[in-house]
Amino acid sequence: MMADKSLHEMFSFTLDMEKDNVVIPVCEDVAVEEAYREEYAFLSEKGIFTGKSGEVYTTLDAARKGVLIFIGLGKEKSVNLEQVRKAGFKAAQELSSNKVASACMMISKLSGLCYRETTKAWVEGMLQSAYTFDKYLAKKKNHTGLEMSFFIKEGKEDKVKSAIAETINLMDAVFLARDLVNEPAISLTPGSLAVIAEKELTSLGVEVEVLGRSSAAELGMAAFLAVAKGSSEEPKVIIMRYKGDKESQRLLGLVGKGVTYDSGGYSLKPKDSMVTMYDDMGGSAAVIGAMKALALNDVKRNVTAVVLATENMVNGEAYKPGDIIGSMAGKTIEILSTDAEGRLTLADALHYIITKEKVDEVVDIATLTGACVVALGEQMSGAFASDDELMKRVKNAAEKSAEPTWQLPLNEEYRELVKGTRSDLKNSGGRWGGAISAAAFLREFTGDTPWVHLDIAGTAYLTAGKGYLPKGATGTGVKTLYNLALETPESGCGCGEKN
Ligand code: BES
Ligand code: MN
Ligand code: ZN
């Protein structure tokens, strides 16, 4: 957890000072800066370091009383932003393992990439190296922090300065989401999630409204409350309103699944699948993180987010398989599995945000189905849409964020899977196509409002670290939802350069 020190305190990025230690990004097919040509010629001749992507070589620079860290980027034309992030991550790790707390680096223009986006990727990669969740360890990991100076072409400084600040804020929000997901359910309850959302967002000018069980009942959230019945923790409705653009009427809606613990209920999960089910509020962490990033960066957009937070537990009052429950939208639902609880909470959240908050379009994000993990692994999130244009914007935002998604179908035929016999709907469509039938269930609650559903069951929490992503919580969705809010039909990166 980063609670003791903020990212802004741990990292500084300036654009002027020369430092003793130098990071030298190298493309295998481009001449190295004059000053390091001799060292590089030696390394490449011996085949020690040739600038290939992923290579790193550190050497003492006696003359300058510092270290030189060569970082490989591969062939110049093929370098993309993700490789830059990875190189930044490697560079920061290498600096830290060499106990180096300050360094400088030249940021060069790469084919097809603008200075602004390239700088953001360097900064993000470096910041990615700073995350740990060590609050429950007696011996804390030692994060030293880093003072970086970038050299950049004259005239481009102002463009990258704001990009640096924006990226630190965004990563701060990603780390908040990770902390929320990594926190065990014994301390991260619906109540404490609501308190954290209030604490993190209110001071930034986001309006946060929290409702308890009785207000949820008054609103008619019968599906949500059925899930909550089995828990002694009071369920919470968390509504977050960010008004960054008072002149505009346009309102984006975000909904995040906020099941702070999923035991499966009476359709109890096998014991091993239950261990990590404190991560079942990954969707809510993503929307809270995105709201924080928007507010920190003063983004000129209007966004409202809703989280219906509850535990899915077992007690004498819990809902049961075979029950028929209502919903805020008025549709009745037969419970085939109390473990298909996420879609019940999302059904009411979607109906609420569309009818009461009057959003123009809505994206929900949820650790919804094991079937999605079977289909796409931990590499990609599943995406579903009722609207192609919104899907396109979500895909763009996800790609820009290096949070890959893969669209799965949602044809009319899949509706059959969730049609009820004793009731309007049933909450499980069975094993086959389980990620799709879950989406088909949600579709019944979104009407004509453009809607995209992201299933992050595989990507919110990793069983092993992957590149710059740590084992455990990834904070996936924060960057995508933030970039989605920024996205406009004609938006480029906004730096004014051709690319
Ligand atoms: N929270 C789970 C989905 C999940 C599985 C998240 C693995 C992260 C990792 C969800 O509530 C669930 O239990 N879904 C059921 C649905 C089924 C009963 C129709 C599932 O996927 O098995
Ligand atoms: Mn479940
Ligand atoms: Zn769940």
Side-chain angles (χ1 to χ4, degrees):
M1 192 120 164
M2 315 290 308
D4 47 338
K5 259 193 210 162
S6 79
L7 267 186
H8 284 278
E9 287 168 301
M10 281 178 61
F11 283 79
S12 77
F13 297 90
T14 54
L15 296 178
D16 33 39
M17 287 211 302
E18 187 125 11
K19 298 272 162 56
D20 298 334
N21 308 294
V22 188
V23 175
I24 307 146
V26 181
C27 292
E28 51 186 309
D29 51 354
V30 178
V32 171
E33 273 174 71
E34 184 88 55
Y36 314 110
R37 238 169 243 173
E38 214 176 299
E39 283 95 339
Y40 177 68
F42 176 81
L43 292 173
S44 62
E45 211 165 279
K46 301 259 178 207
I48 298 169
F49 176 91
T50 56
K52 288 204 180 60
S53 172
E55 277 183 352
V56 55
Y57 187 82
T58 305
T59 180
L60 202 65
D61 180 1
R64 295 185 191 78
K65 295 193 175 60
V67 295
L68 296 182
I69 298 183
F70 291 91
I71 294 280
L73 285 172
K75 291 224 162 58
E76 202 268 346
K77 283 222 158 49
S78 67
V79 184
N80 58 32
L81 293 173
E82 182 63 353
Q83 274 161 303
V84 175
R85 279 184 208 101
K86 286 180 179 159
F89 178 71
K90 253 215 162 115
Q93 275 191 326
E94 193 70 10
L95 288 166
S96 161
S97 62
N98 283 288
K99 310 249 179 311
V100 172
S102 72
C104 57
M105 185 181 100
M106 167 93 92
I107 294 183
S108 343
K109 175 95 174 69
L110 296 156
S111 310
L113 306 176
C114 73
Y115 275 112
R116 193 179 153 85
E117 292 304 311
T118 309
T119 307
K120 277 189 184 175
W122 278 114
V123 172
E124 180 186 333
M126 291 180 172
L127 296 176
Q128 288 281 6
S129 73
Y131 187 80
T132 48
F133 184 74
D134 59 6
K135 78 183 269 206
Y136 294 108
L137 293 175
K139 198 169 160 9
K140 308 287 180 225
K141 308 247 166 71
N142 208 16
H143 13 77
T144 38
L146 181 61
E147 264 177 48
M148 251 344 261
S149 299
F150 290 143
F151 296 107
I152 190 149
K153 195 174 149 197
E154 225 171 302
K156 301 292 176 191
E157 288 92 343
D158 282 347
K159 277 172 189 153
V160 309
K161 251 187 206 154
S162 65
I164 291 170
E166 182 190 3
T167 305
I168 299 177
N169 287 335
L170 181 56
M171 290 311 293
D172 202 46
V174 171
F175 287 10
L176 166 65
R178 287 183 190 171
D179 282 348
L180 290 172
V181 174
N182 280 325
E183 188 67 35
I186 189 170
S187 47
L188 203 282
T189 60
S192 71
L193 183 64
V195 169
I196 296 172
E198 272 171 340
K199 190 184 117 256
E200 290 282 343
L201 300 177
T202 310
S203 59
L204 300 175
V206 180
E207 185 187 312
V208 181
E209 191 181 338
V210 178
L211 310 175
R213 198 189 298 268
S214 60
S215 307
E218 272 164 36
L219 282 165
M221 294 177 165
F224 169 53
L225 290 175
V227 176
K229 269 175 78 174
S231 168
S232 354
E233 294 289 340
E234 192 184 11
K236 297 288 178 189
V237 177
I238 309 168
I239 307 148
M240 295 154 274
R241 302 182 186 95
Y242 173 69
K243 297 184 186 113
D245 189 358
K246 298 245 156 60
E247 279 128 56
S248 166
Q249 296 293 310
R250 203 135 188 98
L251 183 58
L252 167 66
L254 303 176
V255 165
K257 174 173 172 181
V259 174
T260 60
Y261 191 72
D262 183 10
S263 70
Y266 275 98
S267 312
L268 199 64
K269 285 187 183 294
K271 66 180 190 324
D272 292 339
S273 333
M274 232 186 268
V275 178
T276 53
M277 277 300 141
Y278 54 84
D279 71 3
D280 213 15
M281 33 57 69
S284 67
V287 310
I288 292 168
M291 295 302 270
K292 180 173 182 180
L294 291 168
L296 279 173
N297 284 328
D298 268 321
V299 168
K300 210 165 171 247
R301 294 284 188 279
N302 301 319
V303 184
T304 292
V306 170
V307 169
L308 301 192
T310 179
E311 291 183 330
N312 185 25
M313 300 293 282
V314 179
N315 68 12
E317 282 165 63
Y319 78 141
K320 307 160 197 72
D323 280 355
I324 294 176
I325 62 170
S327 63
M328 189 179 176
K331 300 191 183 190
T332 60
I333 305 159
E334 180 177 6
I335 304 304
L336 297 193
S337 169
T338 60
D339 198 11
E341 85 297 341
R343 65 198 71 182
L344 301 172
T345 68
L346 294 172
D348 281 348
L350 288 165
H351 185 77
Y352 171 84
I353 203 169
I354 290 168
T355 60
K356 300 289 182 193
E357 300 295 330
K358 303 206 178 342
V359 297
D360 298 297
E361 51 193 7
V362 60
V363 176
D364 81 71
I365 179 161
T367 48
L368 203 62
T369 66
C372 187
V373 195
V374 172
L376 299 174
E378 293 184 341
Q379 281 72 13
M380 286 201 181
S381 302
F384 304 82
S386 68
D387 183 90
D388 290 341
E389 193 274 330
L390 178 60
M391 183 72 256
K392 210 169 131 198
R393 271 184 285 137
V394 172
K395 271 187 194 156
N396 280 345
E399 200 167 305
K400 209 172 155 188
S401 310
E403 293 178 336
T405 61
W406 195 261
Q407 189 176 359
L408 294 168
L410 193 52
N411 324 1
E412 195 59 25
E413 283 178 49
Y414 291 102
R415 269 185 98 166
E416 294 304 318
L417 295 175
V418 293
K419 277 211 175 116
T421 45
R422 303 168 66 214
S423 56
D424 300 331
L425 297 169
K426 54 189 185 190
N427 83 328
S428 168
R431 261 165 69 77
W432 311 133
I436 307 174
S437 55
F441 181 89
L442 300 180
R443 175 75 186 91
E444 298 293 324
F445 296 88
T446 58
D448 295 332
T449 305
W451 158 77
V452 164
H453 158 59
L454 296 173
D455 192 332
I456 56 167
T459 50
Y461 188 99
L462 302 179
T463 46
K466 189 157 63 69
Y468 54 71
L469 295 176
K471 174 177 154 66
T474 58
T476 198
V478 174
K479 291 191 281 168
T480 297
L481 297 176
Y482 173 80
N483 283 320
L484 172 69
L486 287 180
E487 193 102 2
T488 58
E490 73 288 351
S491 72
C493 77
C495 77
E497 281 170 47
K498 275 220 182 67
N499 51 45

